[in-house]
Amino acid sequence: MDSTDEFEPFMTIPPHLVRWPAIRDTLSSSTSQLQAQTIAECLPLLNAINNPSSNPFDFDEHGQHNLNRADHIKFIRDGLQALPAQFVAMDASRPWLMYWSLLSLYVLGEDVKPLQSSIIKTFEPLQNKSGGFGGGQGHLSHLAGTYAVILAVSMVGGQDVYNVIDRVALWHWLGRLKQSNGGFCVCEDGEEDVRGAYCALVAITLLDLPWHLPSDSAARASGMTDFRDGLGEYLSSCQTYEGGIAASPSNEAHGAYTFCALACLSILGPPHETIKRYLNVESLLQWLSARQYAPEGGFAGRTNKVVDGCYSHWIGGCWPLVEAVLTGPDHEGESVDPSTKARIFSGEGLVRYILGCCQGPSGGLRDKPSK
Amino acid sequence: MATTSSSSSVVLLPPDAQPPKSKSAAYYAVHPHWQDVIPIPQVDQTGVLAPIAYSPRYSEAMSFLRALMAENEVSERALALTEDLISMNPAHYTVWIYRMRILKGLWQGSTSSDNIDTKIVEINEDKSSQQSDTDDNEIKPGLWRNIQDELKWLDEVSFRNLKNYQIWHHRHALVELLPLDPAGPATPDSPKNSPKNRPTQPSSKATNEILSSFIASEQLFLSRILSQDTKNYHVWSYRQWLCARFPSLLLPSYSSNASNSIASTYRTHAEVQAIDTMIQDDLRNNSAWSHRYFILFGHHELTYVQSQSPPIILKEVNEQKLLHKAGLVDADLVTAEIEYTKHEIRKAPQNGSTWNYLRGLLRHGDVRITTLRVFCEEFLGPEGDLWTDQWVDVELEDPATKETRVERQEIGVRSSHAVEWLSEIYSKDETAKDEARAKECLRALAEKWDPIRKGYWDYKLSKLEEK
C-alpha cells in the first residue's frame, strides 16, 4: 500500500484476518455453529475500514481503530466508585475489583500513587488475624484475593501500604495450604488447583517470605520441609495429552491454568530450566499456538471453544515465558532469533482483535462484540 | 404476626418466620431465635474502592454470619443462615465452606431434634473423628440419609446457578464423606486415600449397594446438568474426580493392562457410553474427548506417577516408556480407540479435538506417527496435492448431450491438521523420508491453510532446516 495516497479507499488488511477460514467442515454441531456466529460478529468489525459508511478518520495507517484511552480510563475510574446492590455477586471478589482496575490504570500510564490511602482502606479490613486476605470482610482468607492484594500493593507502592500486610501470619497460613502432593489449596477446606500454587509463589517471593515450611504446616507430616517440595512434579502432572495445562491432574487443558502453571514454574526457577525440565515443551508449544484463531485474531482458552478477550491476558502472558524457553541461554542452535524479535504468535492478529472487536462503545474492554 | 417480647421494646417475628423475599425487611435482628447474637457489621471507610451498596437483607445476614463464624457455631440456625446467604450470593465461598463445617459437625453425633433451635453443637476439631462413620468402610444409614438430603438440595441449586463453581467443590466435599471404593487404586489428589490408608476388609453388601446406586444416580444427574452446559469446566472436573474416587464403579480401565485388555467390553461401560452420547451430540466437545482420554488412559499415567516415591515427572512416563515397562499399556484398547478416532475424524476432518485425542493415543501407546501416513493423505487434494482449495468448481460434461455444467466439489485439502501431521511424518518416515515435502507442508500451512500461525510454522520449518 502506497503511503503517499492520502485517501486510500480500500485498506489492505491481511486476507486471513478478514475472511472465513480456508477449510470448513460440512458437518455442523453446536460448537461449529457457535464458532460461525463468533466469526460473523467479528468480521464486520475487523474489516470496518473497508466499509464505505465508516469514517476513515477513525482509523490509523494500519486500518485499525485507536485504543480509546480516555474512555477506558473513565470506565475504570467509574468502576472504582460505589457499585449498586446487584454487584453483591462480587462480594467475595472485592480484591479483584481493586486489582484489575488498578492494573489497567497502571498499564495505561496513569499515576496510581494517589490511590495509596484508598487501597489501604479497601484491603486492610480483608486481612484475617490468622493470615492472608479474604474476598470480603469476615471472609476466609483465599489465595486469589491475597494475590490481588499483594499485586495491588506492588503497583501503588508505599511503605505504609506494605506494612499493613502481616507477613508472619500469612506465612503460617500458606503453610496450612501446602499439600502433600506438592500443590496448594486456595483456602482452608477449599479446592486445590494450579491457581493455588501460582498465587502462593507470588506471595512468597514478593513478600520475601522464607521458603522453609512453618513448623505447624501439616505438609511436614509427609516429610516436606520446603514450600517448593514436590511442586514441579505436581505441575508436570497437570499437563494433558493436548499439551496445555489443566486446573488439576486429569482435567482439560485450559488457558488460564496454563498461565498459572508456567508462571509458577518461572518463579521456581528460570523458565528455560524449569519449564523445560517439567513439561513437554513441544506439545505445549503446539497447543499454545493453536489457541489463536483467524479471522478473529484473538485467543480461545480451550480446543473448540470460541475466542475471548480475557485470554489475551492468560494466553498472551504464556508467550513470553515459552519464548524464553526457546531463546534461553542454554539453547544450542534454537531458531527463534531474539534480535529479530520474531514472535511465534501473531501480534498483529491479537491487536486487531482487541482494538477492533473488544473495545466497548463507551469505554472498557469486553470478551467479544456480543458480550 | 409479630409478637412483642416482654423484655424489650423490639417487635419480634413469630418463631417459625422464614427469611422474607423483600430485600429490605429486617429478619435476623427481629427473630426470636437470634436475639442472643450480637451482629458484626461491615465497616467501609469513605474512600474504599468499589464498595458495594448491599441490600439491607444481605448486610444484615452477613453481620450475623460474621458473629457466628467468630464463635465457630455449629447449629441448625447457622445452617439456615448459610442457605439464606447462598440464595443471595451463590458465589460466596466462605459461606459454602462454613456450611460444610456445620454439616460435618451436625452429622457427627448431634442428638438435636429436627426443629430449628438454638442448640449449639461443639465443633469437633479432631478431623480423624470424621472417619468414624467410615473407619470400617461402612456407611451408617443416618449419614447416608443426610448426604442424600443435602445432595437433593444441592442438585436444585446447581441447576439454578450453572456458572458457579463453589457448588461443585461442596459436592466434592460431601461425596468425600462416603466410604472408599471397595476395590480401587489410589486417587491422584487425595493422599488420605492412599493405599496404606485403604480399608483391609471389603465393605458389606449394603454399603456396596449404596455406592452403586449413588454412582448411577450421579451419572444421571451429571448427564442432565451437562446437557444444559456441555463444556462446564467445574462439572467436568468434578466428574474426573468422581471417577478417580470410585474407580471400580466408574473407570472402565482401572484394572486393564497389557495382559488383561478391556478392548472387547469397554464400549458397553456406562461411563464410556455417557461420553459416546456426548460425542454423538457434538463431536467437537473437547471436554468430552478430554474425559474420554482420562477414563481410558490418563488414569493409568496419573496413578503411576502418584505411586512413585519420590514423585516423578509426568512427561518422563511417556519419554521413558515407564507404563510399557510396568505392563500397564492396554495395546488392544489403544488400537480400538485409534480406529474409533479415525472414524470420527473422517466425519469432520477439521475438528481439532479428534486429532489431539489421536495424538494422545499415539503417545500413550508408543505408536509411531508414521503409521498414519496413508490416513492423513486421505485429506489432501488430488494426487496428494497440498495446495488445492477445499472446494473447487469442477466442469462436468454430460456424456449424452455433451453439455457442460459447473459443480462445486470438495476435492481439495480438507484438514490443516492432516497437513501438520504430514510435515512431521514426511520428515520422520524411515522408509520414505521426504524432507522437501515436509517443508512444503509447513509452507502450505503458513501461506494458505493456517496463516495466523505463520510464526509457529516458520519456527517448525527452521527446526527442519537445522537438521
Side-chain angles (χ1 to χ4, degrees), chain B residues 268-307:
Chain B
T268 55
H269 189 283
E271 191 67 1
V272 175
Q273 291 195 323
I275 294 302
D276 279 349
T277 302
M278 296 212 67
I279 287 174
Q280 271 159 47
D281 286 345
D282 182 356
L283 79 177
R284 300 178 177 92
N285 186 334
N286 199 66
S287 304
W289 285 101
S290 190
H291 190 70
R292 193 183 185 95
Y293 185 84
F294 173 62
I295 63 176
L296 295 179
F297 307 106
H299 171 255
H300 281 298
E301 294 164 357
L302 291 171
T303 307
Y304 184 84
V305 161
Q306 299 294 331
S307 67

Side-chain angles (χ1 to χ4, degrees), chain B residues 41-92:
Chain B
Q42 175 159 329
V43 181
D44 271 338
Q45 297 180 62
T46 11
V48 161
L49 299 172
I52 300 168
Y54 307 112
S55 70
R57 274 268 290 129
Y58 184 81
S59 291
E60 184 197 53
M62 278 304 299
S63 303
F64 278 78
L65 181 84
R66 278 184 282 265
L68 293 196
M69 286 190 74
E71 303 300 320
N72 283 325
E73 178 170 319
V74 171
S75 63
E76 289 288 347
R77 72 175 180 181
L79 190 67
L81 174 57
T82 64
E83 184 170 343
D84 190 25
L85 272 165
I86 282 165
S87 75
M88 291 189 269
N89 181 9
H92 204 314

Side-chain angles (χ1 to χ4, degrees), chain B residues 423 434-444 461 464-465:
Chain B
S423 77
D434 194 340
E435 294 282 353
R437 199 154 150 77
K439 291 175 189 171
E440 196 191 353
C441 287
L442 292 170
R443 275 196 295 274
L461 201 53
L464 279 185
E465 268 151 14

Side-chain angles (χ1 to χ4, degrees), chain A residues 16-17 22-25 27-32 79-83 85 87-89 91-92 94 118 121-122 134-135 137 139-140 142 180 187-191 195 233 236-237 239 241-242 246-247 249-252 254 257 276-280 282-283 285-286 289-290 292-294 297 302-305 326 333-336 343-344 346, chain B residues 42-55 58 62 66 69 88-89 91-94 97 101 165 169 189 191 231 233-234 237 240 282-284 286-287 289-290 293-294 302 311-315 347-353 356-357 360 363 390-391 410 413-416 420 448-449 451-453 455-456 459-460 462-463 466:
Chain A
H16 63 276
L17 297 179
I23 299 173
R24 297 178 67 196
D25 288 329
L27 181 68
S28 162
S29 71
S30 49
T31 293
S32 59
L80 289 172
Q81 305 308 308
L83 303 172
F87 277 77
V88 67
D91 190 37
R94 308 248 338 273
S118 292
K121 288 175 184 171
T122 309
Q137 283 189 33
H139 295 214
L140 294 172
H142 195 291
S180 56
C187 65
E188 291 179 80
D189 293 343
E191 63 271 22
R195 290 175 302 156
E233 289 81 2
S236 85
S237 72
Q239 185 172 28
Y241 69 94
E242 292 196 276
S250 79
N251 302 155
E252 188 183 2
H254 185 297
Y257 299 115
K276 200 176 273 191
R277 172 154 185 232
Y278 289 107
L279 299 176
N280 178 329
E282 190 184 341
S283 65
L285 190 57
Q286 200 269 344
S289 162
Q292 190 165 27
Y293 296 3
R302 301 182 251 168
T303 306
N304 271 324
K305 295 278 277 177
L326 302 177
E334 293 292 341
S335 309
V336 178
R343 311 306 298 271
I344 298 186
S346 169
Chain B
Q42 175 159 329
V43 181
D44 271 338
Q45 297 180 62
T46 11
V48 161
L49 299 172
I52 300 168
Y54 307 112
S55 70
Y58 184 81
M62 278 304 299
R66 278 184 282 265
M69 286 190 74
M88 291 189 269
N89 181 9
H92 204 314
Y93 66 86
T94 298
I97 288 172
R101 291 177 183 169
Y165 67 94
H169 179 66
D189 70 342
K231 302 181 184 181
Y233 197 87
H234 307 294
S237 301
Q240 273 112 40
D282 182 356
L283 79 177
R284 300 178 177 92
N286 199 66
S287 304
W289 285 101
S290 190
Y293 185 84
F294 173 62
L302 291 171
I312 62 172
I313 295 167
L314 177 63
K315 71 163 179 173
K347 291 180 188 171
Q350 193 53 15
N351 176 10
S353 294
N356 286 356
Y357 184 75
R363 194 183 299 116
Q390 182 183 9
W391 290 90
E410 191 185 17
V413 174
R414 67 210 81 129
S415 175
S416 65
E420 178 180 0
K448 186 156 186 177
W449 305 118
I452 196 150
R453 295 170 66 193
Y456 177 68
Y459 167 75
K460 298 289 277 184
S462 71
K463 300 279 277 173
E466 259 169 35

